[in-house]
Amino acid sequence: MESIVMIKGNVQFQITLDPGVWIFDDRKVDLTTYFTEEAATIDEIEEYTKATSKHWEREIREGAIHPPTLKTEKIYEKQKVLNGTFGIPLKPFLENAVILEDATTVNFVTKEGTISLSIEEALNVVLGFSINGKPLKEDGPIHIYYGDGSNYSNPIKNVKEIVVV
């Protein structure tokens, strides 16, 4: 149970967070580049069109075969997942919990104490869940990174629960 974090308090639904499964989540972000790259809004239809076009163009140029490069690309992606440092935005989890109207603050309860953020600030938080491909066991299960990356070198650690008040 020490790898589970609850979102509770002034919410309509309590949410149980299990960072162990986030490695498979498409919403994960690479923390080594997340705070340094410019944020770009992603248009899902445009991204799908680009990916489809790229695949179609590749088949026209190379033929509809499965060259060894596809296997190499898959191996590269697997290595990136096994060795990467990842986080996931907190916003979708808070939205699914449905924060009640009279709530004003999100408290991150740690072993050392409680860190309070406004709801607006908490919606921009990124939850770190792995460093160099390893889950955060000693000082985890999650680390809290502010949305602007100002605490990237010193994240909030040992988070045990998230309480909306």
Side-chain angles (χ1 to χ4, degrees):
M1 284 296 285
E2 55 207 39
S3 67
I4 302 294
V5 176
M6 295 289 296
I7 296 177
K8 57 186 181 179
N10 207 355
V11 292
Q12 190 170 352
F13 306 105
Q14 287 190 8
I15 303 285
T16 303
L17 303 177
D18 183 1
V21 299
W22 291 343
I23 196 70
F24 304 108
D25 197 314
D26 290 337
R27 296 172 292 187
K28 73 179 176 291
V29 295
D30 185 347
L31 289 177
T32 58
T33 60
Y34 182 75
F35 297 111
T36 57
E37 293 178 347
E38 279 193 39
T41 56
I42 298 174
D43 182 3
E44 291 182 22
I45 295 173
E46 184 178 341
E47 289 298 314
Y48 172 77
T49 304
K50 285 181 183 179
T52 305
S53 299
K54 183 178 176 183
H55 178 72
W56 181 252
E57 181 183 345
R58 185 177 191 164
E59 282 196 6
I60 290 172
R61 269 192 280 120
E62 299 175 7
I65 58 170
H66 300 289
T69 59
L70 291 178
K71 290 180 183 176
T72 307
E73 290 171 11
K74 287 180 184 176
I75 291 170
Y76 172 75
E77 290 298 320
K78 183 178 178 182
Q79 287 300 321
K80 193 166 90 171
V81 167
L82 292 176
N83 299 319
T85 299
F86 295 106
I88 194 164
L90 177 61
K91 184 177 182 175
F93 299 112
L94 289 177
E95 288 174 345
N96 285 337
V98 185
I99 297 172
L100 299 177
E101 289 182 23
D102 58 334
T104 59
T105 309
V106 177
N107 293 331
F108 297 95
V109 181
T110 70
K111 286 182 181 178
E112 294 79 31
T114 301
I115 289 85
S116 297
L117 297 176
S118 70
I119 291 177
E120 293 76 28
E121 292 171 318
L123 289 172
N124 293 317
V125 159
V126 176
L127 306 173
F129 64 88
S130 77
I131 294 179
N132 298 327
K134 307 286 185 243
L136 307 173
K137 292 190 178 188
E138 283 79 43
D139 57 2
I142 58 174
H143 291 173
I144 304 296
Y145 295 94
Y146 299 138
D148 61 1
S150 60
N151 71 332
Y152 178 72
S153 59
N154 188 24
I156 300 166
K157 299 178 180 179
N158 296 307
V159 178
K160 298 301 169 200
E161 64 183 2
I162 301 170
V163 182
V164 179
V165 291

